[in-house]
Amino acid sequence: MTKKKHVHIFGIGSGIGQGLYNRFLEDKSASLFGFSRKGKLPLSHFSNGEAGAFQFDATDQKDLRSFEHSLTSLFGHHILPTAPFYNRPDLIVYFALGDGIFGPIDLLKKKELESHFELNVHSLILLSKYYSQHLPFFTNATFVFLGSTAGKQGFPESVAYCASKHAVLGIARALREEWKPYGTKVVHVSLGAVATEIWDTRPEFDKNEMVSVSDISEYLWCISQLPKSIFVDDLSITPKKGIL
Ligand SMILES: NC(=O)c1ccc[n+]([C@@H]2O[C@H](COP(=O)([O-])OP(=O)(O)OC[C@H]3O[C@@H](n4cnc5c(N)ncnc54)[C@H](OP(=O)(O)O)[C@@H]3O)[C@@H](O)[C@H]2O)c1
C-alpha cells in the first residue's frame, strides 16, 4: 500500500488487457495488479498487497469468493477508514476480460450462451459488487469497462456478443448513477476492431485494418491520467476504416 495509485486490470492473459498491463509496467507511479487465468502468482497472495499478475478465473466461485475477501483485507476496515483522506491511494480498475461468440443463431448452444454471459456480464457485476462496499473510502476511484461497437448497434451472426456488450453498457450506466454519491468515475469505452486473438476464428476480417494493441493500450492508459474534475462517460474508438 505504498504507491498513491492502485491499478487493477482484469484480463491480462492476452490481447488488450495484456497490452495495457505492459503499458502500466512503465508507469512507476502505479502499484499494478493484474488478473487472468494465466497469472503467475496464486490469488491468495493478492491480499498481501504486493503488486503482480495473479491467477484468477472470473467464472470460478472459489476465485470470486477469494477475491472478495482479499479486497476486504486490502481496503477493509483496518486500513483505509483510519487513514487520513490525503493518504488513501487512488484506485483505477479496468475490465478487459471477455470472450467472443459468433455464428448464426440457429447454431447457438445453450451452454456456450451461458458461459459467455457468465464471463462477459455476470463476472463484471459480481466484481463491481465486491469493490462497491469500499468506494466510500476512496477519494478518487475510476472504473473502465471495455465495451464494443456491438454494444450500441447490431451485427449479423453476433446475437450473444451484441447482447452481452449492450449489457456492459447498461452496467456502466447503472453504476455511474449508483456510485455518484462517492464521486466514482465510470467510463465505458466502445471499442471498434482491435487486432487480438479474439479475431483468429474470423479470417474474413483483416487484422492489418484494425487498431493495434499497443495503440489501444496507450489510449486506455491515458484514462488514468485524466484531471480529477473531468468525468468521462462514454468513449468510442474505431480503426481508420470505421466499422469493418
Ligand atoms: N479485440 C477487439 O476487436 C475488441 C473489440 C471490442 C471489444 N473487445 C472486448 O475487449 C475485451 C478483451 O478482448 P481481447 O480482444 O483482448 O480478447 P482476448 O485476447 O481473447 O483477451 C481476453 C482476456 O480475457 C481473459 N479471460 C478469459 N476468460 C477468463 C476467465 N474465465 N477469467 C479471467 N480472465 C479471463 C484472458 O486471459 P486468460 O486466458 O489468461 O484468462 C484474456 O486476457 C473483451 O471483452 C472483448 O469483447 C475487443
Side-chain angles (χ1 to χ4, degrees):
M1 300 288 287
T2 48
K3 296 214 176 133
K4 275 296 282 171
K5 184 165 53 183
H6 275 227
V7 179
H8 295 184
I9 306 175
F10 293 89
I12 61 158
S14 60
I16 301 167
Q18 185 179 59
L20 183 61
Y21 186 80
N22 290 336
R23 176 62 187 87
F24 267 107
L25 283 174
E26 295 168 23
D27 178 349
K28 299 300 173 210
S29 70
S31 277
L32 183 57
F33 302 81
F35 304 92
S36 87
R37 292 167 302 177
K38 295 196 277 285
K40 286 200 179 76
L41 300 167
L43 189 57
S44 54
H45 289 206
F46 172 48
S47 57
N48 300 341
E50 293 297 325
F54 298 91
Q55 281 156 24
F56 173 69
D57 183 339
T59 61
D60 182 296
Q61 292 310 308
K62 198 162 68 51
D63 281 6
L64 285 165
R65 255 198 318 274
S66 162
F67 184 83
E68 182 182 16
H69 291 146
S70 298
L71 270 192
T72 304
S73 311
L74 273 179
F75 300 137
H77 328 291
H78 51 286
I79 299 173
L80 282 173
T82 53
F85 267 102
Y86 57 81
N87 240 354
R88 295 172 189 174
D90 292 349
L91 174 69
I92 180 154
V93 180
Y94 289 88
F95 291 118
L97 48 72
D99 62 12
I101 175 171
F102 303 102
I105 190 169
D106 333 22
L107 301 181
L108 187 60
K109 295 192 176 66
K110 188 166 176 284
K111 269 223 148 10
E112 286 171 352
L113 181 64
E114 282 167 1
S115 71
H116 179 70
F117 267 75
E118 200 181 353
L119 179 63
N120 288 34
V121 180
H122 296 186
S123 77
L124 300 187
I125 297 175
L126 290 171
L127 287 167
S128 303
K129 168 183 146 85
Y130 303 152
Y131 281 101
S132 191
Q133 60 180 309
H134 304 294
L135 292 183
F137 308 115
F138 284 94
T139 317
N140 298 299
T142 303
F143 287 75
V144 183
F145 288 85
L146 296 199
S148 167
T149 320
K152 293 193 165 172
Q153 68 178 78
F155 293 96
E157 304 198 350
S158 307
V159 72
Y161 192 70
C162 284
S164 70
K165 292 301 167 188
H166 275 71
V168 174
L169 178 59
I171 294 166
R173 283 181 168 163
L175 291 177
R176 187 174 299 135
E177 299 309 316
E178 188 160 338
W179 288 344
K180 256 192 186 139
Y182 312 129
T184 303
K185 298 181 183 183
V186 182
V187 185
H188 175 263
V189 188
S190 300
L191 293 174
V194 180
T196 68
E197 289 168 23
I198 213 169
W199 293 96
D200 286 354
T201 54
R202 309 175 84 197
E204 66 276 25
F205 294 96
D206 183 355
K207 280 193 176 178
N208 294 316
E209 292 186 330
M210 300 181 187
V211 173
S212 70
V213 168
S214 62
D215 283 357
I216 199 65
S217 303
E218 190 64 25
Y219 178 81
L220 293 171
W221 172 81
C222 287
I223 296 173
S224 74
Q225 305 299 306
L226 286 174
K228 291 195 189 328
S229 63
I230 303 286
F231 281 63
V232 176
D233 287 353
D234 205 355
L235 296 165
S236 293
I237 66 103
T238 64
K240 186 174 173 187
K241 202 172 165 184
I243 288 162
L244 300 189

